[in-house]
Amino acid sequence: MIIVPENKIADLITATDAFDAMEKLFVSMANGTAYNFPVIREAIGHADALYGFKSGFDREALQLGLKSGGYWPGNAAKGLTNHQSTVFLFDADTGKCKAVIGGNLLTALRTAAASAVATAHLARADSQVLGIVGAGHQSAFQLRANLATRNFKKVIGWNLHPEKLSRPASIAEEAGLPFESVSLETLGAQADVIITIASSFKPILLDLHIKAGTHLSCMGTDTTGKQEIDAQIAKRAKLYTDEIAQSITLGEFQHPINEKLISNDDICPIGKAIQDKKLARTSDSDITIFDGTGVGLQDLAVASQVVEKAIANNVATEIDF
């Protein structure tokens, strides 16, 4: 069995690697050759933690496994990342555990890559202003990944605690772009692409904030009850997601579904839009929304890349198991 610890991951996978893996995976999911198993996610009654499993199988790539982990809100005070996870890969032919991989950085990279894939395929080609709602750990990964998809000229952001916008501001500076802290009204009026990455249980962006032609990637809603954007926006938008079943139960589209504003048939798997441009944006006035709920197959795809590179670079630890 191969072990690749968390401290080796950064040297083994790039944002471009993660983007390519997500693009390929989403196509496999749309074609039915890769599928996710039901998610287990529970509040454990200790340390205010949420813990669970995401798993799946990609028949084409023969990637079988799971990610185990969750969210420990007190970790920041201990000098740790609040999200903690580990990926386990199994041999599809025998069922033996073949690798254990640190999952924290991989989760951040694959989540950011998913929204970047959506931006690459759904946002207007002339998009110039990138907006972000949220300033947590993931916001930096989101900005780096999405800035690579278009020739953006400016980054703007909103956060409930504006002083924390120093994180996205530093990423904009790193890219040589100006950054501005703005109101939600200004963000909606100026941004061509909006990434939401907040942990919210009520809508932050309202229908009146969103102008025609905007692309939104909603990346923070992964639990029943969470919500980042007004459900009414879905009525006038083209809708995409990583997995429909998950999106309508614990993702952003649970709300317009529950309010009967849309039906399942209104939601397109992003993999289909990647393959068929007629299913993506067809007008500069289209509003497009990608609901990135995060699926286990994403973790398996990037973890498999890491294992291959770890072996090739002789940094993997192998044990008899």
Side-chain angles (χ1 to χ4, degrees):
M1 181 176 72
I2 300 296
I3 298 176
V4 186
E6 185 69 38
N7 61 12
K8 300 292 185 183
I9 304 297
D11 295 328
L12 294 171
I13 187 170
T14 67
T16 299
D17 293 331
F19 181 99
D20 293 342
M22 292 307 97
E23 194 171 51
K24 182 179 179 180
L25 170 65
F26 289 148
V27 169
S28 294
M29 288 175 61
N31 289 340
T33 58
Y35 55 97
N36 295 283
F37 305 149
V39 174
I40 296 173
R41 187 174 174 85
E42 299 289 341
I44 65 173
H46 178 75
D48 293 326
L50 289 173
Y51 177 72
F53 300 90
K54 289 185 174 182
S55 57
F57 179 47
D58 187 331
R59 291 199 308 272
E60 186 173 336
L62 292 182
Q63 293 166 354
L64 174 68
L66 61 89
K67 181 175 77 172
S68 170
Y71 184 77
W72 274 257
N75 275 6
K78 302 173 184 176
L80 299 171
T81 302
N82 288 348
H83 288 90
Q84 291 289 323
S85 60
T86 305
V87 181
F88 299 82
L89 298 177
F90 298 88
D91 188 305
D93 294 318
T94 66
K96 288 190 65 176
C97 186
K98 68 178 184 179
V100 179
I101 309 101
N104 295 345
L105 178 59
L106 288 182
T107 299
L109 286 171
R110 64 83 155 158
T111 304
S115 72
V117 168
T119 299
H121 290 278
L122 300 176
R124 295 193 335 266
D126 64 350
S127 296
Q128 295 190 8
V129 180
L130 176 58
I132 189 157
V133 173
H137 176 73
Q138 175 65 204
S139 65
F141 293 90
Q142 290 290 331
L143 283 183
R144 285 195 187 100
N146 279 274
L147 283 170
T149 66
R150 292 289 186 274
N151 186 26
F152 290 105
K153 305 297 185 185
K154 180 181 180 181
V155 180
I156 58 178
W158 180 93
N159 192 62
L160 184 62
H161 303 287
E163 66 276 8
K164 294 185 177 180
L165 286 168
S166 57
R167 178 181 277 115
S170 69
I171 303 304
E173 182 180 0
E174 175 186 291
L177 298 176
F179 178 86
E180 185 180 354
S181 172
V182 297
S183 67
L184 289 170
E185 290 81 4
T186 299
L187 186 140
Q190 292 188 8
D192 303 304
V193 174
I194 299 174
I195 311 299
T196 62
I197 186 68
S199 183
S200 175
F201 283 84
K202 62 180 181 179
I204 299 170
L205 283 169
L206 304 181
D207 188 30
L208 58 86
H209 292 146
I210 305 304
K211 69 179 187 297
T214 304
H215 168 70
L216 298 97
S217 283
C218 301
M219 308 303 296
T221 300
D222 57 2
T223 303
T224 301
K226 276 190 174 183
Q227 185 175 12
E228 295 185 301
I229 67 172
D230 187 345
Q232 292 289 334
I233 303 171
K235 285 179 61 177
R236 57 191 183 102
K238 300 181 75 170
L239 311 178
Y240 306 85
T241 192
D242 40 23
E243 185 178 75
I244 293 176
Q246 190 161 288
S247 175
I248 63 175
T249 54
L250 52 80
E252 194 63 39
F253 294 149
Q254 65 183 285
H255 303 287
I257 284 286
N258 291 342
E259 295 177 29
K260 295 182 170 43
L261 300 174
I262 63 170
S263 70
N264 294 14
D265 292 339
D266 294 319
I267 307 170
C268 176
I270 186 65
K272 289 189 175 182
I274 292 171
Q275 295 179 93
D276 186 352
K277 300 304 180 186
K278 295 191 296 294
L279 297 176
R281 173 182 295 275
T282 55
S283 167
D284 283 348
S285 63
D286 286 342
I287 295 172
T288 53
I289 303 174
F290 172 68
D291 180 20
T293 64
V295 295
L297 284 169
Q298 292 174 255
D299 302 295
L300 307 188
V302 289
S304 295
Q305 281 194 344
V306 163
V307 170
E308 290 176 7
K309 291 191 175 186
I311 294 171
N313 289 281
N314 296 315
V315 297
T317 299
E318 187 168 2
I319 64 172
D320 188 12
F321 181 75

PDB file of all heavy atoms in Angstrom, residues 121-151:
ATOM      1  N   HIS A 121     -16.103  27.221 -19.245  1.00  0.00           N
ATOM      2  CA  HIS A 121     -17.082  26.760 -20.236  1.00  0.00           C
ATOM      3  C   HIS A 121     -18.375  27.570 -20.253  1.00  0.00           C
ATOM      4  O   HIS A 121     -19.140  27.461 -21.215  1.00  0.00           O
ATOM      5  CB  HIS A 121     -17.402  25.290 -20.001  1.00  0.00           C
ATOM      6  CG  HIS A 121     -16.271  24.380 -20.345  1.00  0.00           C
ATOM      7  ND1 HIS A 121     -16.012  23.964 -21.642  1.00  0.00           N
ATOM      8  CD2 HIS A 121     -15.302  23.826 -19.577  1.00  0.00           C
ATOM      9  CE1 HIS A 121     -14.942  23.181 -21.649  1.00  0.00           C
ATOM     10  NE2 HIS A 121     -14.496  23.084 -20.410  1.00  0.00           N
ATOM     11  N   LEU A 122     -18.619  28.380 -19.215  1.00  0.00           N
ATOM     12  CA  LEU A 122     -19.923  29.052 -19.114  1.00  0.00           C
ATOM     13  C   LEU A 122     -19.850  30.577 -19.089  1.00  0.00           C
ATOM     14  O   LEU A 122     -20.824  31.236 -19.476  1.00  0.00           O
ATOM     15  CB  LEU A 122     -20.652  28.581 -17.850  1.00  0.00           C
ATOM     16  CG  LEU A 122     -20.960  27.086 -17.753  1.00  0.00           C
ATOM     17  CD1 LEU A 122     -21.590  26.767 -16.399  1.00  0.00           C
ATOM     18  CD2 LEU A 122     -21.878  26.639 -18.887  1.00  0.00           C
ATOM     19  N   ALA A 123     -18.755  31.150 -18.634  1.00  0.00           N
ATOM     20  CA  ALA A 123     -18.673  32.613 -18.517  1.00  0.00           C
ATOM     21  C   ALA A 123     -18.494  33.258 -19.887  1.00  0.00           C
ATOM     22  O   ALA A 123     -18.000  32.634 -20.833  1.00  0.00           O
ATOM     23  CB  ALA A 123     -17.524  33.003 -17.596  1.00  0.00           C
ATOM     24  N   ARG A 124     -18.906  34.516 -19.987  1.00  0.00           N
ATOM     25  CA  ARG A 124     -18.697  35.261 -21.227  1.00  0.00           C
ATOM     26  C   ARG A 124     -17.203  35.357 -21.544  1.00  0.00           C
ATOM     27  O   ARG A 124     -16.369  35.531 -20.654  1.00  0.00           O
ATOM     28  CB  ARG A 124     -19.266  36.685 -21.117  1.00  0.00           C
ATOM     29  CG  ARG A 124     -20.753  36.756 -20.955  1.00  0.00           C
ATOM     30  CD  ARG A 124     -21.293  38.184 -21.170  1.00  0.00           C
ATOM     31  NE  ARG A 124     -20.324  39.221 -20.909  1.00  0.00           N
ATOM     32  CZ  ARG A 124     -20.194  39.859 -19.736  1.00  0.00           C
ATOM     33  NH1 ARG A 124     -20.956  39.531 -18.711  1.00  0.00           N
ATOM     34  NH2 ARG A 124     -19.295  40.814 -19.599  1.00  0.00           N
ATOM     35  N   ALA A 125     -16.875  35.287 -22.813  1.00  0.00           N
ATOM     36  CA  ALA A 125     -15.471  35.347 -23.222  1.00  0.00           C
ATOM     37  C   ALA A 125     -14.830  36.677 -22.871  1.00  0.00           C
ATOM     38  O   ALA A 125     -13.619  36.756 -22.649  1.00  0.00           O
ATOM     39  CB  ALA A 125     -15.359  35.083 -24.716  1.00  0.00           C
ATOM     40  N   ASP A 126     -15.637  37.742 -22.818  1.00  0.00           N
ATOM     41  CA  ASP A 126     -15.093  39.082 -22.551  1.00  0.00           C
ATOM     42  C   ASP A 126     -15.172  39.467 -21.072  1.00  0.00           C
ATOM     43  O   ASP A 126     -15.050  40.642 -20.727  1.00  0.00           O
ATOM     44  CB  ASP A 126     -15.811  40.127 -23.400  1.00  0.00           C
ATOM     45  CG  ASP A 126     -17.303  40.250 -23.049  1.00  0.00           C
ATOM     46  OD1 ASP A 126     -17.815  39.385 -22.281  1.00  0.00           O
ATOM     47  OD2 ASP A 126     -17.945  41.205 -23.524  1.00  0.00           O
ATOM     48  N   SER A 127     -15.359  38.503 -20.192  1.00  0.00           N
ATOM     49  CA  SER A 127     -15.460  38.796 -18.761  1.00  0.00           C
ATOM     50  C   SER A 127     -14.182  39.477 -18.271  1.00  0.00           C
ATOM     51  O   SER A 127     -13.071  39.005 -18.532  1.00  0.00           O
ATOM     52  CB  SER A 127     -15.681  37.501 -17.972  1.00  0.00           C
ATOM     53  OG  SER A 127     -16.916  36.908 -18.312  1.00  0.00           O
ATOM     54  N   GLN A 128     -14.356  40.577 -17.529  1.00  0.00           N
ATOM     55  CA  GLN A 128     -13.200  41.350 -17.080  1.00  0.00           C
ATOM     56  C   GLN A 128     -13.140  41.536 -15.569  1.00  0.00           C
ATOM     57  O   GLN A 128     -12.063  41.773 -15.020  1.00  0.00           O
ATOM     58  CB  GLN A 128     -13.198  42.726 -17.751  1.00  0.00           C
ATOM     59  CG  GLN A 128     -13.007  42.670 -19.249  1.00  0.00           C
ATOM     60  CD  GLN A 128     -12.763  44.040 -19.856  1.00  0.00           C
ATOM     61  OE1 GLN A 128     -12.597  45.034 -19.153  1.00  0.00           O
ATOM     62  NE2 GLN A 128     -12.729  44.101 -21.174  1.00  0.00           N
ATOM     63  N   VAL A 129     -14.280  41.439 -14.887  1.00  0.00           N
ATOM     64  CA  VAL A 129     -14.302  41.664 -13.439  1.00  0.00           C
ATOM     65  C   VAL A 129     -14.708  40.376 -12.735  1.00  0.00           C
ATOM     66  O   VAL A 129     -15.776  39.816 -13.010  1.00  0.00           O
ATOM     67  CB  VAL A 129     -15.268  42.804 -13.058  1.00  0.00           C
ATOM     68  CG1 VAL A 129     -15.273  43.006 -11.536  1.00  0.00           C
ATOM     69  CG2 VAL A 129     -14.856  44.101 -13.754  1.00  0.00           C
ATOM     70  N   LEU A 130     -13.852  39.907 -11.848  1.00  0.00           N
ATOM     71  CA  LEU A 130     -14.113  38.693 -11.082  1.00  0.00           C
ATOM     72  C   LEU A 130     -14.504  39.090  -9.660  1.00  0.00           C
ATOM     73  O   LEU A 130     -13.772  39.802  -8.980  1.00  0.00           O
ATOM     74  CB  LEU A 130     -12.872  37.802 -11.054  1.00  0.00           C
ATOM     75  CG  LEU A 130     -12.939  36.519 -10.218  1.00  0.00           C
ATOM     76  CD1 LEU A 130     -14.067  35.623 -10.683  1.00  0.00           C
ATOM     77  CD2 LEU A 130     -11.606  35.782 -10.278  1.00  0.00           C
ATOM     78  N   GLY A 131     -15.675  38.632  -9.233  1.00  0.00           N
ATOM     79  CA  GLY A 131     -16.149  38.942  -7.892  1.00  0.00           C
ATOM     80  C   GLY A 131     -16.145  37.708  -7.010  1.00  0.00           C
ATOM     81  O   GLY A 131     -16.418  36.600  -7.490  1.00  0.00           O
ATOM     82  N   ILE A 132     -15.847  37.888  -5.730  1.00  0.00           N
ATOM     83  CA  ILE A 132     -15.872  36.768  -4.799  1.00  0.00           C
ATOM     84  C   ILE A 132     -16.643  37.154  -3.546  1.00  0.00           C
ATOM     85  O   ILE A 132     -16.501  38.258  -3.019  1.00  0.00           O
ATOM     86  CB  ILE A 132     -14.457  36.274  -4.453  1.00  0.00           C
ATOM     87  CG1 ILE A 132     -14.531  34.966  -3.662  1.00  0.00           C
ATOM     88  CG2 ILE A 132     -13.645  37.346  -3.716  1.00  0.00           C
ATOM     89  CD1 ILE A 132     -13.290  34.125  -3.735  1.00  0.00           C
ATOM     90  N   VAL A 133     -17.502  36.234  -3.111  1.00  0.00           N
ATOM     91  CA  VAL A 133     -18.254  36.389  -1.865  1.00  0.00           C
ATOM     92  C   VAL A 133     -17.698  35.370  -0.883  1.00  0.00           C
ATOM     93  O   VAL A 133     -17.845  34.166  -1.087  1.00  0.00           O
ATOM     94  CB  VAL A 133     -19.760  36.161  -2.090  1.00  0.00           C
ATOM     95  CG1 VAL A 133     -20.510  36.163  -0.762  1.00  0.00           C
ATOM     96  CG2 VAL A 133     -20.332  37.228  -3.022  1.00  0.00           C
ATOM     97  N   GLY A 134     -17.049  35.857   0.162  1.00  0.00           N
ATOM     98  CA  GLY A 134     -16.390  34.977   1.119  1.00  0.00           C
ATOM     99  C   GLY A 134     -14.896  35.223   1.118  1.00  0.00           C
ATOM    100  O   GLY A 134     -14.313  35.584   0.089  1.00  0.00           O
ATOM    101  N   ALA A 135     -14.272  35.035   2.277  1.00  0.00           N
ATOM    102  CA  ALA A 135     -12.839  35.320   2.396  1.00  0.00           C
ATOM    103  C   ALA A 135     -12.117  34.273   3.220  1.00  0.00           C
ATOM    104  O   ALA A 135     -11.061  34.539   3.784  1.00  0.00           O
ATOM    105  CB  ALA A 135     -12.637  36.704   3.007  1.00  0.00           C
ATOM    106  N   GLY A 136     -12.680  33.080   3.289  1.00  0.00           N
ATOM    107  CA  GLY A 136     -12.053  32.002   4.044  1.00  0.00           C
ATOM    108  C   GLY A 136     -10.883  31.371   3.310  1.00  0.00           C
ATOM    109  O   GLY A 136     -10.452  31.841   2.242  1.00  0.00           O
ATOM    110  N   HIS A 137     -10.385  30.281   3.873  1.00  0.00           N
ATOM    111  CA  HIS A 137      -9.221  29.572   3.330  1.00  0.00           C
ATOM    112  C   HIS A 137      -9.402  29.230   1.853  1.00  0.00           C
ATOM    113  O   HIS A 137      -8.484  29.400   1.045  1.00  0.00           O
ATOM    114  CB  HIS A 137      -9.003  28.297   4.156  1.00  0.00           C
ATOM    115  CG  HIS A 137      -7.905  27.410   3.664  1.00  0.00           C
ATOM    116  ND1 HIS A 137      -6.575  27.724   3.799  1.00  0.00           N
ATOM    117  CD2 HIS A 137      -7.946  26.194   3.028  1.00  0.00           C
ATOM    118  CE1 HIS A 137      -5.840  26.761   3.282  1.00  0.00           C
ATOM    119  NE2 HIS A 137      -6.637  25.822   2.804  1.00  0.00           N
ATOM    120  N   GLN A 138     -10.587  28.779   1.457  1.00  0.00           N
ATOM    121  CA  GLN A 138     -10.835  28.335   0.097  1.00  0.00           C
ATOM    122  C   GLN A 138     -10.854  29.485  -0.905  1.00  0.00           C
ATOM    123  O   GLN A 138     -10.623  29.281  -2.108  1.00  0.00           O
ATOM    124  CB  GLN A 138     -12.152  27.562   0.035  1.00  0.00           C
ATOM    125  CG  GLN A 138     -12.628  27.137  -1.329  1.00  0.00           C
ATOM    126  CD  GLN A 138     -11.745  26.114  -2.040  1.00  0.00           C
ATOM    127  OE1 GLN A 138     -11.767  26.016  -3.263  1.00  0.00           O
ATOM    128  NE2 GLN A 138     -10.969  25.347  -1.282  1.00  0.00           N
ATOM    129  N   SER A 139     -11.114  30.709  -0.436  1.00  0.00           N
ATOM    130  CA  SER A 139     -11.222  31.841  -1.361  1.00  0.00           C
ATOM    131  C   SER A 139      -9.939  32.049  -2.161  1.00  0.00           C
ATOM    132  O   SER A 139      -9.983  32.416  -3.336  1.00  0.00           O
ATOM    133  CB  SER A 139     -11.593  33.124  -0.611  1.00  0.00           C
ATOM    134  OG  SER A 139     -10.565  33.522   0.280  1.00  0.00           O
ATOM    135  N   ALA A 140      -8.784  31.818  -1.547  1.00  0.00           N
ATOM    136  CA  ALA A 140      -7.517  31.995  -2.250  1.00  0.00           C
ATOM    137  C   ALA A 140      -7.395  30.999  -3.399  1.00  0.00           C
ATOM    138  O   ALA A 140      -6.969  31.364  -4.509  1.00  0.00           O
ATOM    139  CB  ALA A 140      -6.349  31.818  -1.278  1.00  0.00           C
ATOM    140  N   PHE A 141      -7.767  29.756  -3.158  1.00  0.00           N
ATOM    141  CA  PHE A 141      -7.704  28.734  -4.202  1.00  0.00           C
ATOM    142  C   PHE A 141      -8.695  29.049  -5.319  1.00  0.00           C
ATOM    143  O   PHE A 141      -8.388  28.870  -6.510  1.00  0.00           O
ATOM    144  CB  PHE A 141      -7.986  27.360  -3.610  1.00  0.00           C
ATOM    145  CG  PHE A 141      -6.923  26.882  -2.658  1.00  0.00           C
ATOM    146  CD1 PHE A 141      -7.014  27.162  -1.307  1.00  0.00           C
ATOM    147  CD2 PHE A 141      -5.824  26.180  -3.120  1.00  0.00           C
ATOM    148  CE1 PHE A 141      -6.036  26.727  -0.428  1.00  0.00           C
ATOM    149  CE2 PHE A 141      -4.838  25.741  -2.251  1.00  0.00           C
ATOM    150  CZ  PHE A 141      -4.943  26.025  -0.896  1.00  0.00           C
ATOM    151  N   GLN A 142      -9.883  29.504  -4.940  1.00  0.00           N
ATOM    152  CA  GLN A 142     -10.889  29.848  -5.933  1.00  0.00           C
ATOM    153  C   GLN A 142     -10.405  30.952  -6.859  1.00  0.00           C
ATOM    154  O   GLN A 142     -10.560  30.874  -8.089  1.00  0.00           O
ATOM    155  CB  GLN A 142     -12.186  30.279  -5.236  1.00  0.00           C
ATOM    156  CG  GLN A 142     -12.929  29.165  -4.536  1.00  0.00           C
ATOM    157  CD  GLN A 142     -13.550  28.179  -5.499  1.00  0.00           C
ATOM    158  OE1 GLN A 142     -13.907  28.529  -6.622  1.00  0.00           O
ATOM    159  NE2 GLN A 142     -13.688  26.937  -5.060  1.00  0.00           N
ATOM    160  N   LEU A 143      -9.814  31.989  -6.289  1.00  0.00           N
ATOM    161  CA  LEU A 143      -9.357  33.102  -7.112  1.00  0.00           C
ATOM    162  C   LEU A 143      -8.227  32.679  -8.041  1.00  0.00           C
ATOM    163  O   LEU A 143      -8.251  32.996  -9.238  1.00  0.00           O
ATOM    164  CB  LEU A 143      -8.902  34.261  -6.224  1.00  0.00           C
ATOM    165  CG  LEU A 143     -10.012  35.101  -5.603  1.00  0.00           C
ATOM    166  CD1 LEU A 143      -9.414  36.259  -4.802  1.00  0.00           C
ATOM    167  CD2 LEU A 143     -10.959  35.663  -6.672  1.00  0.00           C
ATOM    168  N   ARG A 144      -7.240  31.977  -7.512  1.00  0.00           N
ATOM    169  CA  ARG A 144      -6.121  31.563  -8.368  1.00  0.00           C
ATOM    170  C   ARG A 144      -6.611  30.724  -9.544  1.00  0.00           C
ATOM    171  O   ARG A 144      -6.196  30.927 -10.685  1.00  0.00           O
ATOM    172  CB  ARG A 144      -5.108  30.752  -7.555  1.00  0.00           C
ATOM    173  CG  ARG A 144      -4.243  31.578  -6.614  1.00  0.00           C
ATOM    174  CD  ARG A 144      -3.047  30.789  -6.137  1.00  0.00           C
ATOM    175  NE  ARG A 144      -2.309  31.514  -5.122  1.00  0.00           N
ATOM    176  CZ  ARG A 144      -2.394  31.292  -3.816  1.00  0.00           C
ATOM    177  NH1 ARG A 144      -3.205  30.332  -3.356  1.00  0.00           N
ATOM    178  NH2 ARG A 144      -1.685  31.987  -2.951  1.00  0.00           N
ATOM    179  N   ALA A 145      -7.491  29.776  -9.277  1.00  0.00           N
ATOM    180  CA  ALA A 145      -7.968  28.891 -10.338  1.00  0.00           C
ATOM    181  C   ALA A 145      -8.804  29.648 -11.362  1.00  0.00           C
ATOM    182  O   ALA A 145      -8.653  29.448 -12.580  1.00  0.00           O
ATOM    183  CB  ALA A 145      -8.777  27.745  -9.731  1.00  0.00           C
ATOM    184  N   ASN A 146      -9.687  30.522 -10.899  1.00  0.00           N
ATOM    185  CA  ASN A 146     -10.579  31.224 -11.826  1.00  0.00           C
ATOM    186  C   ASN A 146      -9.886  32.343 -12.585  1.00  0.00           C
ATOM    187  O   ASN A 146     -10.246  32.624 -13.734  1.00  0.00           O
ATOM    188  CB  ASN A 146     -11.792  31.761 -11.067  1.00  0.00           C
ATOM    189  CG  ASN A 146     -12.846  30.705 -10.846  1.00  0.00           C
ATOM    190  OD1 ASN A 146     -13.697  30.480 -11.698  1.00  0.00           O
ATOM    191  ND2 ASN A 146     -12.775  30.022  -9.707  1.00  0.00           N
ATOM    192  N   LEU A 147      -8.889  32.967 -11.994  1.00  0.00           N
ATOM    193  CA  LEU A 147      -8.166  34.019 -12.712  1.00  0.00           C
ATOM    194  C   LEU A 147      -7.463  33.476 -13.949  1.00  0.00           C
ATOM    195  O   LEU A 147      -7.212  34.221 -14.905  1.00  0.00           O
ATOM    196  CB  LEU A 147      -7.146  34.687 -11.782  1.00  0.00           C
ATOM    197  CG  LEU A 147      -7.727  35.679 -10.764  1.00  0.00           C
ATOM    198  CD1 LEU A 147      -6.676  36.093  -9.748  1.00  0.00           C
ATOM    199  CD2 LEU A 147      -8.310  36.897 -11.475  1.00  0.00           C
ATOM    200  N   ALA A 148      -7.186  32.186 -13.962  1.00  0.00           N
ATOM    201  CA  ALA A 148      -6.493  31.581 -15.099  1.00  0.00           C
ATOM    202  C   ALA A 148      -7.418  31.323 -16.286  1.00  0.00           C
ATOM    203  O   ALA A 148      -6.941  30.982 -17.378  1.00  0.00           O
ATOM    204  CB  ALA A 148      -5.843  30.270 -14.667  1.00  0.00           C
ATOM    205  N   THR A 149      -8.732  31.515 -16.115  1.00  0.00           N
ATOM    206  CA  THR A 149      -9.678  31.140 -17.170  1.00  0.00           C
ATOM    207  C   THR A 149     -10.038  32.279 -18.117  1.00  0.00           C
ATOM    208  O   THR A 149     -10.563  32.033 -19.197  1.00  0.00           O
ATOM    209  CB  THR A 149     -10.981  30.596 -16.556  1.00  0.00           C
ATOM    210  OG1 THR A 149     -11.654  31.658 -15.851  1.00  0.00           O
ATOM    211  CG2 THR A 149     -10.700  29.444 -15.603  1.00  0.00           C
ATOM    212  N   ARG A 150      -9.828  33.512 -17.696  1.00  0.00           N
ATOM    213  CA  ARG A 150     -10.181  34.675 -18.507  1.00  0.00           C
ATOM    214  C   ARG A 150      -9.136  35.768 -18.299  1.00  0.00           C
ATOM    215  O   ARG A 150      -8.360  35.733 -17.350  1.00  0.00           O
ATOM    216  CB  ARG A 150     -11.570  35.236 -18.113  1.00  0.00           C
ATOM    217  CG  ARG A 150     -12.750  34.341 -18.458  1.00  0.00           C
ATOM    218  CD  ARG A 150     -12.993  34.278 -19.943  1.00  0.00           C
ATOM    219  NE  ARG A 150     -14.205  33.541 -20.286  1.00  0.00           N
ATOM    220  CZ  ARG A 150     -14.286  32.224 -20.443  1.00  0.00           C
ATOM    221  NH1 ARG A 150     -13.218  31.467 -20.247  1.00  0.00           N
ATOM    222  NH2 ARG A 150     -15.416  31.648 -20.783  1.00  0.00           N
ATOM    223  N   ASN A 151      -9.171  36.770 -19.160  1.00  0.00           N
ATOM    224  CA  ASN A 151      -8.248  37.897 -19.034  1.00  0.00           C
ATOM    225  C   ASN A 151      -8.877  38.967 -18.133  1.00  0.00           C
ATOM    226  O   ASN A 151      -9.252  40.054 -18.577  1.00  0.00           O
ATOM    227  CB  ASN A 151      -7.929  38.473 -20.418  1.00  0.00           C
ATOM    228  CG  ASN A 151      -6.858  39.548 -20.364  1.00  0.00           C
ATOM    229  OD1 ASN A 151      -6.021  39.563 -19.453  1.00  0.00           O
ATOM    230  ND2 ASN A 151      -6.876  40.455 -21.329  1.00  0.00           N
TER     231      ASN A 151
END
